[in-house]
Amino acid sequence: VTYEGQQALVYHPESLLTHLDELAHEALPGSEAVFVIESAWAERAVIVEEFVYGREFSCVVVRNEDTSTTALPPTEISKGPGEFDVHSNHITGMSRRETPIQLPDTQIDNIRRECTRLFQELGFGAYARIDGFVTDDGRILINDPNNTSPLLPASLLFHQAAEIGLNASQFLTFIVR
């Protein structure tokens, strides 16, 4: 980390966060602190994202036979009991899922529209699972577009397909076609 000409070598993400917090407190109030973060080994760039206060969602988008696209009803994902990580998100009982996400229809439509736009812009094929957040002020932040999704019994693909009346077998047949 380089800040105002001073360099520090940091070995762990938690140490990096602590170091950045300390530097931010040293900066003049109201000023914008600029930090340069670079890897000493393999990585050429590091992405630092702000913490997002919002409701997490996942939305499956599928390409229809006529090449149009359909965004299924988005699912809200909430932390379940115990430690929550990316693997817990795909194991039954580790997270709570509500489809569709409990928001006004206009916000649900905005999520579906934004996920469809991204699906088309990124040139996905048959389907994609697009994850993101909706903030309290209604902003939609996409943070994880996926061109594959786990095909486990608790998969969001099957959960959302059920909302439009398709069982797992019917949905997989649709994807294959």
Side-chain angles (χ1 to χ4, degrees):
V1 176
T2 305
Y3 175 65
E4 294 187 345
Q6 297 180 349
Q7 292 185 337
L9 190 58
V10 181
Y11 294 97
H12 190 273
E14 192 64 36
S15 299
L16 174 62
L17 181 59
T18 300
H19 187 67
L20 291 174
D21 281 343
E22 289 168 359
L23 292 175
H25 288 335
E26 291 175 14
L28 295 174
S31 69
E32 218 175 274
V34 177
F35 307 106
V36 176
I37 303 172
E38 55 190 338
S39 173
W41 293 288
E43 294 85 7
R44 299 182 59 113
V46 176
I47 297 174
V48 178
E49 298 176 330
E50 69 178 285
F51 184 83
V52 176
Y53 293 94
R55 295 168 67 181
E56 184 178 3
F57 69 83
S58 187
C59 185
V60 173
V61 181
V62 296
R63 186 173 306 283
N64 302 313
E65 290 181 36
D66 65 1
T67 71
S68 65
T69 54
T70 301
L72 303 181
T75 299
E76 179 172 14
I77 303 164
S78 303
K79 180 187 179 305
E83 189 171 319
F84 188 71
D85 60 21
V86 69
H87 302 291
S88 304
N89 193 17
H90 302 290
I91 298 172
T92 303
M94 294 301 293
S95 62
R96 186 180 62 77
R97 297 158 181 209
E98 190 165 355
T99 307
I101 187 172
Q102 295 301 303
L103 290 170
D105 289 343
T106 55
Q107 281 187 297
I108 291 173
D109 290 343
N110 288 342
I111 291 171
R112 293 174 78 181
R113 193 171 17 263
E114 183 60 20
C115 290
T116 297
R117 183 197 63 75
L118 185 65
F119 179 93
Q120 293 168 339
E121 189 172 305
L122 293 176
F124 283 118
Y127 73 96
R129 190 192 80 237
I130 299 175
D131 301 337
F133 293 88
V134 60
T135 63
D136 291 341
D137 63 359
R139 291 182 302 141
I140 298 167
L141 306 172
I142 303 294
N143 71 326
D144 192 14
N146 300 273
N147 63 348
T148 60
S149 186
L151 297 177
L152 301 169
S155 172
L156 289 169
L157 291 156
F158 303 133
H159 193 74
Q160 291 179 13
E163 285 296 312
I164 62 168
L166 297 176
N167 65 33
S169 178
Q170 292 168 322
F171 185 71
L172 288 173
T173 299
F174 177 82
I175 295 296
V176 170
R177 284 190 182 149

